[in-house]
Amino acid sequence: MKWRVILEPDPETGDWAVWCPELPGCVSAGETEAEALENIREAIGIYLSVPYAIL
């Protein structure tokens, strides 16, 4: 399944913020675009594997 993500640079640090609007609270970051995208893929996987009762 594909999820829409928003990738945005931080002008102060040069790092990248990334989040998935359809999954509230599912956010990540990375020093590069590629790292941020890899991290959000992992975050989405974890988000979807956690039972709703814990959220």
Side-chain angles (χ1 to χ4, degrees):
M1 177 177 277
K2 292 186 179 186
W3 294 93
R4 178 175 59 119
V5 298
I6 297 175
L7 183 66
E8 189 172 273
D10 182 327
E12 293 182 18
T13 66
D15 291 347
W16 290 84
V18 62
W19 62 94
C20 181
E22 289 83 10
L23 303 174
C26 189
V27 299
S28 193
E31 291 182 6
T32 65
E33 279 184 74
E35 182 181 23
L37 290 171
E38 182 179 326
N39 291 343
I40 196 65
R41 283 185 193 99
E42 181 180 358
I44 290 169
I46 292 168
Y47 186 102
L48 296 175
S49 68
V50 174
Y52 290 106
I54 295 174
L55 297 174

